[in-house]
Amino acid sequence: MKVISFVLSLVVSFTVFANDTNPAKDLLLNMANAVHTRNFDASFVVVKGKAMEPYRWVHAKQGETELEHLSLLNGAGLEMVRINDQVTYFEPQSQPYSINTDSIAGPIPEVLFKDIEALSSQYDFVLGGKGRIAGRAAQLVRIESKDEYKYNYWIWLDTESSLLLKAAYVNHQGEALEQLQLTHISVTEQPAPMILEVLNRNFPTPLPGNALEGEKSNATNWRIGWLPNGFKLLKSDRHKLDLNNELTDYFLYSDGFVEISVFVQRPLPGRRLSGSLTSGATTIYVHNGGNFDVSVVGNVPSQTAKAIAESVTRAL
């Protein structure tokens, strides 16, 4: 009888273990590993409505050194270079600066190349169908929000290299709102010569951790009464907006995947009606609160941004 019980316990344990496996999540983990270890040279475009931004993305692993270069190819250009845990930004009409971080802030959510397990409480990982992207066999993986307050994110992976081929923010009606599409990718054994050249360049000394932050905000000035589940405050400060030189209290929230910015400031001259603007997956909702204005910006549905903005009140 003891033997039978022992065998049954093994069967139950195996079943539980089997149910814990998730092939969609495994593919995402493979992608994260590939992005950090493969040598590749890729071109992609980000499509938001009628607007299109072309990028070049090059990565190399040279010994223990990881090199990454991302550049915006239109307009005055924007260049970002990462060498291990240091990223340098070259922006038009600004002095270049470096910060200590292990990832470039670009059009691809950073968390996809890090700890996706952190998303499990708010998103499901679902295996989709197979297709062909940029001339390569691709497997679809869907990151599905567990509630209606956030968009879904679909990713097509190269079945050979595990690298990203396409990604899209998708609403709950299955409509793609914003897409990132690779137009070319070259995966090689050796790093591309251009990426190795960054090792010969001089970069600014990384700024201290708080150098880019504004004046610390008195967080008790405002109460943000509602946020979707899982969002936590990353930082808050008080600074002047480049757009109009107005002081604003700024709050940045994230659920690990999507970031939401909340700006609270005095009303600008001329009463404005509350309303939203959208560009691709990005929503900007401006709420006139009477004695103050609230602006919410993030890759969330307009109803979510509206609910957040209208929940802001003065703290008692």
Side-chain angles (χ1 to χ4, degrees):
M1 188 65 182
K2 288 183 178 179
V3 173
I4 294 175
S5 299
F6 176 71
V7 172
L8 286 175
S9 68
L10 284 180
V11 171
V12 170
S13 298
F14 176 78
T15 303
V16 170
F17 175 78
N19 289 338
D20 282 345
T21 62
N22 182 331
K25 189 184 294 184
D26 291 342
L27 288 174
L28 292 177
L29 291 171
N30 290 341
M31 178 189 69
N33 180 65
V35 165
H36 286 296
T37 58
R38 292 272 191 167
N39 301 309
F40 62 87
D41 187 342
S43 300
F44 65 83
V45 294
V46 176
V47 181
K48 293 184 177 183
K50 296 181 180 179
M52 185 176 70
E53 294 179 333
Y55 288 85
R56 185 181 182 189
W57 182 25
V58 187
H59 179 272
K61 191 70 183 291
Q62 179 76 341
E64 295 301 316
T65 303
E66 191 177 351
L67 307 168
E68 187 174 13
H69 183 275
L70 180 66
S71 55
L72 175 62
L73 302 179
N74 272 359
L78 172 65
E79 181 185 13
M80 292 151 278
V81 178
R82 181 170 69 87
I83 301 178
N84 290 329
D85 293 336
Q86 178 177 317
V87 175
T88 303
Y89 292 85
F90 298 88
E91 301 172 345
Q93 301 177 345
S94 298
Q95 290 295 319
Y97 62 92
S98 301
I99 58 176
N100 289 316
T101 178
D102 61 358
S103 57
I104 290 176
I108 306 172
E110 300 170 18
V111 68
L112 297 178
F113 307 143
K114 295 182 178 178
D115 180 18
I116 62 165
E117 190 61 41
L119 305 180
S120 295
S121 63
Q122 301 300 324
Y123 296 88
D124 292 320
F125 305 96
V126 181
L127 198 61
K130 294 185 177 180
R132 192 166 178 81
I133 306 290
R136 303 175 74 97
Q139 170 68 55
L140 170 63
V141 174
R142 304 200 310 261
I143 301 175
E144 303 277 353
S145 171
K146 292 184 177 181
D147 60 46
E148 70 273 27
Y149 303 117
K150 291 161 288 187
Y151 292 131
N152 302 319
Y153 197 75
W154 292 8
I155 300 174
W156 287 260
L157 301 175
D158 185 357
T159 57
E160 180 181 341
S161 68
S162 295
L163 292 169
L164 173 73
L165 293 177
K166 180 179 177 180
Y169 284 97
V170 179
N171 65 19
H172 291 272
Q173 289 73 48
E175 300 166 333
L177 304 171
E178 179 177 321
Q179 298 187 55
L180 181 155
Q181 164 85 57
L182 264 73
T183 55
H184 163 79
I185 183 168
S186 174
V187 183
T188 57
E189 288 294 325
Q190 299 300 321
M194 70 82 61
I195 190 72
L196 296 180
E197 292 176 2
V198 303
L199 292 172
N200 300 320
R201 295 171 60 178
N202 294 319
F203 297 102
T205 301
L207 298 170
N210 59 358
L212 298 177
E213 297 180 0
E215 177 186 345
K216 289 294 182 184
S217 172
N218 184 352
T220 59
N221 281 348
W222 306 103
R223 189 176 75 86
I224 298 175
W226 182 84
L227 287 160
N229 287 336
F231 279 84
K232 298 178 180 177
L233 181 66
L234 293 186
K235 70 174 183 178
S236 65
D237 62 36
R238 173 172 291 175
H239 60 260
K240 287 186 177 180
L241 293 175
D242 293 337
L243 180 65
N244 52 23
N245 212 31
E246 286 283 330
L247 273 177
T248 183
D249 284 326
Y250 170 64
F251 303 86
L252 176 64
Y253 293 88
S254 175
D255 69 344
F257 185 68
V258 174
E259 292 186 348
I260 296 175
S261 296
V262 180
F263 302 86
V264 187
Q265 64 184 103
R266 70 183 180 92
L268 298 176
R271 184 175 178 81
R272 295 178 298 169
L273 297 177
S274 299
S276 66
L277 295 171
T278 59
S279 174
T282 305
T283 294
I284 304 172
Y285 189 88
V286 180
H287 170 63
N288 187 311
N291 295 324
F292 58 90
D293 280 353
V294 181
S295 301
V296 175
V297 183
N299 287 359
V300 292
S302 59
Q303 289 303 313
T304 300
K306 179 175 184 289
I308 295 170
E310 292 180 346
S311 77
V312 177
T313 58
R314 286 189 184 277
L316 297 177

